[in-house]
Amino acid sequence: MTSDIPALRATLHALWADDDAAARQAFETCFSADCAFYFSHPANVPGDAWAEVYAPLRAALPHARRRDEIFIAGANRREVGGQWIAAFTHYAGTFAAPLWNIAPSNRLAFLRSGEFYRVENGQIIEARIILDLPDLMRQAGRDPFGGLLGTEMLFPGPATHDGILPAGDGTASLDLIEAMLGDLHIYDPETGTSKGQTGEGGYWADDMLWYGPGGIGSNHRWAGFVKDHRAPFLAAFPDRKGGNHYARIGQGNYAAISGWPSMTMTHQGPYLGVEPTGKDLTLRVMDFYRCANGQIAENWVMLDYMDLFHQMGVDLIAKSNAQAVSSD
């Protein structure tokens, strides 16, 4: 980890300064003038990231604060290479104004965000960010899916409370995650299991916790993960292929991976209220892991379901706002 990383983290927090000029100055300090920005749908690839993303976020959540739960840095093992940051955070504030036409609640909201940054010369030169907008809609009382597969909850920080620039080399953690990913695709549909994932010597701890985004929810132990996420997902997208990652990094007991997109698949079964479309789809993915005693103890998952459902032909913002009209 370079000495630039703690300073960059402080500057990312300063993007939420109450003073607009100070926040804009932090933006220009943090990101290079030619930084390549990629956001979840509907922001996607903005022409002006400040005007099209950060200013609307600040207006929608005035006086919000950034609350990091995981913030790690390391050398990227993928072809892109270089120094990268991976962060899972919340933007906590009152949802007081529309955000990309999402109707506000005028109540406290915790907007989840998964973030990967490539760093050179003390500045971010590439930023990829997934905002959990479906969960923001749910918090406003306008769930666009009409129910969850798992348990909805505020994503907790790590049980060990050490996810901010943890001490130690992350080689072993990232080795564990890469081995798990390599075997995850060897799937037995009758048992719902994959090679080496669970049981004696398995990759996942018996008491694993899996935290899923809006639409999926969270669950406990491998059986809960299969019931609440894996089985419904594979039933809808049985030919899914994943692992197309641009970034894989580790630090201490933590590792993080991301693909943009990571998965390709065909929509062949009903999923979260949408009948099969037969369309070829892609999915942007971010995973954050905490490892302990040679196994995966916790996994926080950010998926760009705004983009996935847009590919299906479903406008989640319109569904959410229509629900609000019918219930008011």
Side-chain angles (χ1 to χ4, degrees), residues 24 48-56:
R24 183 59 189 265
D48 182 334
W50 175 263
E52 296 175 40
V53 181
Y54 288 97

Side-chain angles (χ1 to χ4, degrees), residues 140-305:
R142 306 178 184 98
D143 175 16
F145 300 114
L148 298 166
L149 296 167
T151 298
E152 187 47 64
M153 58 190 294
L154 179 69
F155 272 16
T160 46
H161 304 287
D162 61 353
I164 308 301
L165 298 175
D169 176 73
T171 300
S173 299
L174 191 50
D175 286 347
L176 172 64
I177 300 310
E178 291 194 322
M180 179 274 294
L181 292 171
D183 286 342
L184 188 64
H185 295 285
I186 305 173
Y187 178 66
D188 180 350
E190 293 186 3
T191 63
T193 60
S194 293
K195 179 182 176 183
Q197 301 299 312
T198 60
E200 184 176 355
Y203 297 113
W204 296 86
D206 287 343
D207 59 350
M208 61 171 278
L209 286 160
W210 191 92
Y211 309 113
I216 300 175
S218 300
N219 44 67
H220 182 220
R221 302 177 71 90
W222 183 261
F225 165 68
V226 170
K227 175 178 67 70
D228 293 340
H229 174 49
R230 197 169 197 218
F233 192 86
L234 288 176
F237 314 108
D239 62 346
R240 69 91 174 90
K241 296 187 187 316
N244 181 30
H245 300 141
Y246 63 88
R248 293 180 179 178
I249 70 170
Q251 185 179 11
N253 290 327
Y254 293 83
I257 62 172
S258 181
W260 203 277
S262 173
M263 287 189 180
T264 57
M265 53 204 178
T266 309
H267 187 198
Q268 300 181 40
Y271 190 67
L272 291 174
V274 180
E275 292 302 311
T277 62
K279 293 182 177 180
D280 294 329
L281 307 172
T282 62
L283 181 59
R284 302 163 179 168
V285 174
M286 292 180 179
D287 276 272
F288 305 84
Y289 301 91
R290 181 178 69 84
C291 305
N293 302 316
Q295 292 183 302
I296 303 167
E298 295 180 278
N299 182 195
W300 297 258
V301 182
M302 296 291 292
L303 305 174
D304 189 357
Y305 269 22

